[in-house]
Amino acid sequence: MKLIFLGPPGAGKGTLAGLVSKEQGIPQISTGDIFREAIKKETPLGKKVKEIVGRGDLVPDELTVSLVQERLAQDDVKKGYILDGFPRTIPQAEALAGFQKIDAVINFLTPDDVVIQRLSGRRICKTCGAIYHVQNMPPKKEGVCDKCSGPLYTRPDDQIESIKNRLDVYRKQTEPLIRYYRDKKLLHDVDSVTTPEQTQKLIRGALQGLRK
Ligand code: ADP
């Protein structure tokens, strides 16, 4: 199954993509993770996008599309995949349509106050990328990953100014995709305000009719 997870920052796309990826046995492809990994390793791509990502702006379409196209040419995506954070603009969606046929788009519905509360308390493991939240999902020991004992950090774009910018960018550039995919009859709205498990249940329900 070829899926797109669409929604504002902090909607829980990354967390849910991880859960659904395991459940369905298909890889999760997160453009945000790819960029963060490149920044961490200081690769040429990382150097190019570091400031853009830190500010919460979008990486240019051309660069992002070619990266995804390369990733989708690998063998492990034959059975399907979850695109988490891509496409994020109409030109990206149109480019994707040129080389892939998507089965469904999950549209995460999350109010702004929930988004801000989630992002400002989010902590990430520097070593394995596991996601925590200081109130909603605290690690057993403060600042330390439960899974690998790596140190937890706050993403630079989870500072309040960048959060506001990301919400703005989402509204202007990404929200038009809701209409785009609704018109193509691919969109499934899913509430994402309670727990990851509850949201996962809703996604399972939305995908039931599509299983191949
Ligand atoms: P979130 O959904 O929490 O904002 P992501 O991890 O999906 O975070 O993305 C982090 C950042 O990576 C974005 O703010 C943007 O700078 C960059 N990025 C990720 N995906 C894309 C994309 N499809 N197009 C352009 N930039 C992207």
Side-chain angles (χ1 to χ4, degrees):
M1 211 161 0
K2 299 179 174 175
L3 306 175
I4 290 172
F5 281 10
L6 183 67
K13 300 184 298 290
T15 303
L16 267 299
L19 293 172
V20 175
S21 152
K22 264 201 208 116
E23 184 179 80
Q24 303 273 340
I26 51 177
Q28 163 189 7
I29 299 171
S30 160
T31 40
D33 285 349
I34 295 173
F35 291 136
R36 275 186 293 281
E37 187 66 20
I39 292 169
K40 190 168 108 186
K41 290 192 178 144
E42 300 183 340
T43 65
L45 170 70
K47 286 182 187 150
K48 214 184 266 180
V49 304
K50 184 173 179 180
E51 277 191 24
I52 302 175
V53 173
R55 276 199 306 269
D57 286 332
L58 293 186
V59 174
D61 286 337
E62 211 173 303
L63 183 59
T64 310
V65 168
S66 66
L67 205 89
V68 172
Q69 194 159 14
E70 236 170 71
R71 179 64 186 86
L72 293 182
Q74 290 174 18
D75 279 343
D76 64 330
V77 303
K78 293 269 177 329
K79 265 178 56 193
Y81 49 78
I82 301 170
L83 288 177
D84 156 29
F86 180 92
R88 246 180 166 87
T89 64
I90 294 279
Q92 288 182 13
E94 285 174 342
L96 178 69
F99 62 92
Q100 291 288 312
K101 192 176 172 302
I102 296 300
D103 296 304
V105 178
I106 302 294
N107 181 35
F108 287 69
L109 301 174
T110 320
D112 278 7
D113 54 337
V114 175
V115 161
I116 291 171
Q117 193 266 356
R118 281 184 185 165
L119 294 180
S120 54
R122 177 158 71 179
R123 300 291 180 271
I124 316 265
C125 173
K126 211 161 203 155
T127 311
C128 76
I131 305 169
Y132 298 87
H133 189 282
V134 288
Q135 282 125 25
N136 309 351
M137 217 201 303
K140 290 200 188 86
K141 190 172 164 211
E142 200 189 315
V144 180
C145 179
D146 292 349
K147 294 178 186 152
C148 76
S149 303
L152 303 186
Y153 79 110
T154 305
R155 272 169 46 176
D157 59 341
D158 280 345
Q159 309 293 342
I160 191 70
E161 278 317 307
S162 292
I163 292 176
K164 285 188 181 143
N165 188 40
R166 279 155 68 206
L167 277 170
D168 243 28
V169 167
Y170 169 76
R171 221 153 272 132
K172 290 199 188 100
Q173 306 205 55
T174 309
E175 218 166 41
L177 291 176
I178 295 178
R179 174 84 192 271
Y180 175 90
Y181 285 118
R182 205 185 294 286
D183 286 349
K184 294 191 183 314
K185 312 258 184 290
L186 289 174
L187 202 79
H188 301 263
D189 287 329
V190 162
D191 270 318
S192 181
V193 278
T194 54
T195 61
E197 291 70 29
Q198 181 58 26
T199 308
Q200 186 178 12
K201 224 185 248 176
L202 295 173
I203 295 174
R204 205 176 289 139
L207 297 180
Q208 210 120 55
L210 302 165
R211 215 168 294 262
K212 288 187 181 150

